[in-house]
Amino acid sequence: MVLEVPECRDAAEIFAVVGDHRAVTYNPTDFVSGLQEANKLIQMWLRRWVAHDYGCWCVRETRTGRIMGYCGMNRMHINGWPARSLIARFHPDVWGLEYVTEAVMAALICAGTHSGDGSVVARTRPVNLASRNVALKLCLRRDPGRDERGPDGIDEYSVTVRRDDRCSRRRSAIEGEIKLSRRCSLFSRM
């Protein structure tokens, strides 16, 4: 897979992801109802790239160039503390293929270069077991003391990357396959 900074021409493929109700089941306020809204979403991402030098990437299948989804980080404040919130949305036809874990791990690796922007957090819903499992695979630890009600329900927070051999091996394997450009465009082996 290839992670690229989005461009306006990607709106139709982004719409195919966030315009699919299945992809936003746990975050229905993220639903996009048309190309104009998809364009606005991409414009917001590009403004974040300009302001923070990171944001959301389009995740493309290497062989076809098709956008399978997007992932990245949003700079925000949660209960008054600065944070970089991980986000990933993928088309349902690629769920379960480990793309999400690999892509978000790449985003985490890039996040390390912006540590002054706060802790890395994953916000998940209690019933979204797939997202909770990705956070565990990324070696994030649940922090129930930071949970809060969001627009789509309870936001459960996982924070603080744990240091253990399993996580270090996974991270090293992915780092070995990633090339970072000036803007943290990532290219992985998948």
Side-chain angles (χ1 to χ4, degrees):
M1 79 181 134
V2 177
L3 279 69
E4 297 179 330
V5 175
E7 296 180 8
C8 292
R9 65 182 170 90
D10 298 324
E13 290 185 89
I14 293 299
F15 173 62
V17 176
V18 290
D20 186 320
H21 286 283
R22 297 172 297 167
V24 294
T25 297
Y26 302 106
N27 298 287
T29 58
D30 290 348
F31 178 76
V32 169
S33 63
L35 285 177
Q36 187 174 8
E37 284 186 46
N39 242 327
K40 287 180 183 178
L41 182 63
I42 290 170
Q43 291 299 320
M44 179 183 66
W45 292 343
L46 292 173
R47 284 191 302 275
R48 289 178 180 167
W49 273 100
V50 169
H52 309 298
D53 204 30
Y54 62 87
C56 285
W57 291 273
C58 290
V59 181
R60 293 185 182 277
E61 188 175 42
T62 304
R63 188 175 41 79
T64 66
R66 175 181 76 111
I67 293 177
M68 300 179 291
Y70 62 90
C71 76
M73 293 172 291
N74 294 321
R75 186 177 180 190
M76 59 192 319
H77 281 81
I78 301 168
N79 296 326
W81 49 276
R84 291 163 293 156
S85 179
L86 294 169
I87 185 168
R89 295 275 181 279
F90 280 73
H91 195 277
D93 67 2
V94 298
W95 289 354
L97 300 178
E98 292 296 315
Y99 287 121
V100 176
T101 302
E102 297 291 324
V104 178
M105 178 62 86
L108 265 174
I109 291 166
C110 181
T113 65
H114 296 279
S115 59
D117 288 345
S119 300
V120 173
V121 301
R123 295 182 300 157
T124 60
R125 303 280 172 258
V127 295
N128 189 347
L129 299 180
S131 289
R132 293 174 92 194
N133 287 334
V134 169
L136 288 172
K137 288 177 187 177
L138 297 173
C139 302
L140 299 177
R141 177 183 46 83
R142 274 282 293 125
D143 187 355
R146 296 182 190 226
D147 292 355
E148 64 183 359
R149 178 165 286 288
D152 294 317
I154 297 295
D155 287 330
E156 289 186 338
Y157 286 94
S158 297
V159 298
T160 312
V161 177
R162 293 190 314 252
R163 303 286 180 216
D164 66 27
D165 288 340
R166 178 180 56 86
C167 296
S168 295
R169 282 192 302 273
R170 176 177 290 219
R171 184 180 174 111
S172 294
I174 293 171
E175 281 177 329
E177 302 293 334
I178 292 174
K179 298 173 188 158
L180 290 136
S181 75
R182 183 186 71 75
R183 294 186 72 188
C184 296
S185 295
L186 306 173
F187 303 92
S188 114
R189 59 185 158 72
M190 299 183 102

